[in-house]
Amino acid sequence: MSDALSERLPLELIVAVGRGGLIGSSSGKLGLPWHIPEDLKHFKRITLGRPILMGRTTFEAIGRPLPKRRNLVLSKSLRKLEGVEVFASLESALHAAREGHEVPVVIGGARVYAETLPLITRIHWTDIDREAVGDVFFPPLGDDFVEVERREGESEGVTFRVLERR
């Protein structure tokens, strides 16, 4: 791992995780296997005004750059897109995202989560305890993180948690 990636600079991740580690559906709206307005508002509150880093598939599921956020997309096949910065490597994306000393937020998908998990310092984790069908799963978290905050959502089966690296 290069020095730029091995340095433990703040890097956050946001994810909604269902039963069995489910995080996505290739046929769901926005790539999600559920539609929970409360969680979408939570996502917006955490990411607004910040650089967000995502993979190509996540970007395509969203279908457009998210407003009032710096949209950085990891892709070797995409080129230029209006309102989006495209990077072929995680290292170059993180370097760009951290300009101005901002703390970027990784928003998915599974491959980007797996690649960035060793670098993550804080996770905004939403537990979704509902029946759902999907085909994308969060990588194993391990025991590197500890819960520092928890609040029950107003929506049934939704719990918001914050995890920090030990």
Side-chain angles (χ1 to χ4, degrees):
M1 200 178 298
S2 73
D3 288 343
L5 291 181
S6 61
E7 233 180 302
R8 184 73 66 198
L9 295 173
L11 180 62
E12 297 184 10
L13 180 153
I14 189 164
V15 64
V17 182
R19 295 175 183 165
L22 180 65
I23 61 169
S25 170
S26 53
S27 61
K29 184 178 179 185
L30 301 176
L32 299 172
W34 44 69
H35 179 75
I36 304 171
E38 181 182 15
D39 184 52
L40 295 173
K41 288 177 186 168
H42 173 73
F43 175 89
K44 185 176 182 178
R45 184 180 58 78
I46 298 296
T47 62
L48 207 59
R50 298 174 69 186
I52 54 173
L53 176 62
M54 68 195 97
R56 177 190 52 79
T57 304
T58 298
F59 174 73
E60 289 174 348
I62 295 169
R64 64 182 172 80
L66 291 175
K68 299 182 181 174
R69 284 158 270 214
R70 188 172 169 204
N71 290 255
L72 299 99
V73 176
L74 277 175
S75 175
K76 291 189 166 96
S77 61
L78 290 178
R79 295 295 172 239
K80 287 189 171 193
L81 295 169
E82 191 171 328
V84 174
E85 298 170 58
V86 180
F87 297 90
S89 75
L90 176 60
E91 183 174 15
S92 61
L94 287 177
H95 179 75
R98 289 180 169 137
E99 291 171 353
H101 305 287
E102 295 178 283
V103 178
V105 183
V106 177
I107 68 166
R111 186 177 297 145
V112 176
Y113 285 147
E115 194 174 349
T116 59
L117 201 52
L119 308 171
I120 297 297
T121 55
R122 173 178 273 214
I123 300 175
H124 301 273
W125 182 290
T126 304
D127 282 314
I128 308 292
D129 188 17
R130 295 182 178 183
E131 287 296 322
V133 176
D135 52 7
V136 183
F137 298 87
F138 195 77
L141 189 58
D143 59 359
D144 293 338
F145 293 89
V146 62
E147 184 178 288
V148 296
E149 187 179 313
R150 170 186 289 259
R151 104 180 140 75
E152 295 301 315
E154 294 177 12
S155 304
E156 184 178 340
V158 175
T159 304
F160 298 101
R161 302 188 305 148
V162 176
L163 311 172
E164 289 188 351
R165 185 169 293 280
R166 293 183 191 268

